[in-house]
Amino acid sequence: MKKRFLSTITNQRGFILPVVLFTISIFFILITATITSYQNEIHMSEAHLERIKMHTLLQMGFQSVMEEYDDPSALPHTLYYSFLQGEVNITTTSITKDTWETLAKVTTNNHSEHTFKQTINIPHFYPKA
């Protein structure tokens, strides 16, 4: 019985070749799936970093507005800021005395653009010291 099992494995008619081909095929499929998954993770990470960069630029723009204009009534209609990571274009519209609506267009150095619309409560945005 033992001899028959060994003769089947070493038989020249090919018992080992299909098993080896199947194993190698599964191995290559797993490697290809892993590489594809890794490439997708890289793409998602780059998109996430770009989104973080946009939000950072937006916050830098609003911080620049707060530093430049102490009085909210002195705000011009359109503000433009250029930073190292990109540009911010802020358009302001007064809704009420204490509420302003802003439309901020953020463009990064990689030419990614996004527009943020916010309603700002002036007493909260400009706290009185």
Side-chain angles (χ1 to χ4, degrees):
M1 183 97 142
K2 200 174 202 184
K3 189 173 182 181
R4 182 172 179 204
F5 180 71
L6 289 176
S7 68
T8 307
I9 292 176
T10 59
N11 192 351
Q12 294 294 324
R13 287 183 262 158
F15 174 73
I16 290 294
L17 185 62
V19 172
V20 170
L21 288 177
F22 181 74
T23 305
I24 290 173
S25 298
I26 295 295
F27 180 71
F28 280 130
I29 288 171
L30 288 174
I31 287 180
T32 303
T34 304
I35 290 172
T36 304
S37 175
Y38 180 69
Q39 288 173 340
N40 286 340
E41 289 290 330
I42 288 174
H43 180 69
M44 288 178 8
S45 296
E46 289 172 354
H48 186 66
L49 286 174
E50 198 69 20
R51 187 74 174 178
I52 289 172
K53 191 186 297 185
M54 282 186 213
H55 281 278
T56 302
L57 285 169
L58 179 68
Q59 292 301 320
M60 289 169 63
F62 281 129
Q63 186 65 33
S64 296
V65 169
M66 287 178 56
E67 289 173 0
E68 285 182 25
Y69 299 98
D70 293 333
D71 184 20
S73 62
L75 279 174
H77 180 65
T78 302
L79 300 160
Y80 175 78
Y81 296 101
S82 181
F83 300 107
L84 288 176
Q85 294 105 352
E87 302 168 348
V88 180
N89 190 359
I90 301 174
T91 305
T92 59
T93 307
S94 176
I95 297 174
T96 65
K97 179 183 175 195
D98 289 340
T99 307
W100 286 60
E101 184 176 87
T102 62
L103 191 67
K105 181 180 178 185
V106 178
T107 306
T108 64
N109 289 342
N110 295 337
H111 304 291
S112 297
E113 289 185 3
H114 191 73
T115 303
F116 297 93
K117 184 176 181 180
Q118 283 185 313
T119 303
I120 295 176
N121 188 4
I122 296 298
H124 178 71
F125 197 67
Y126 287 99
K128 295 188 178 173

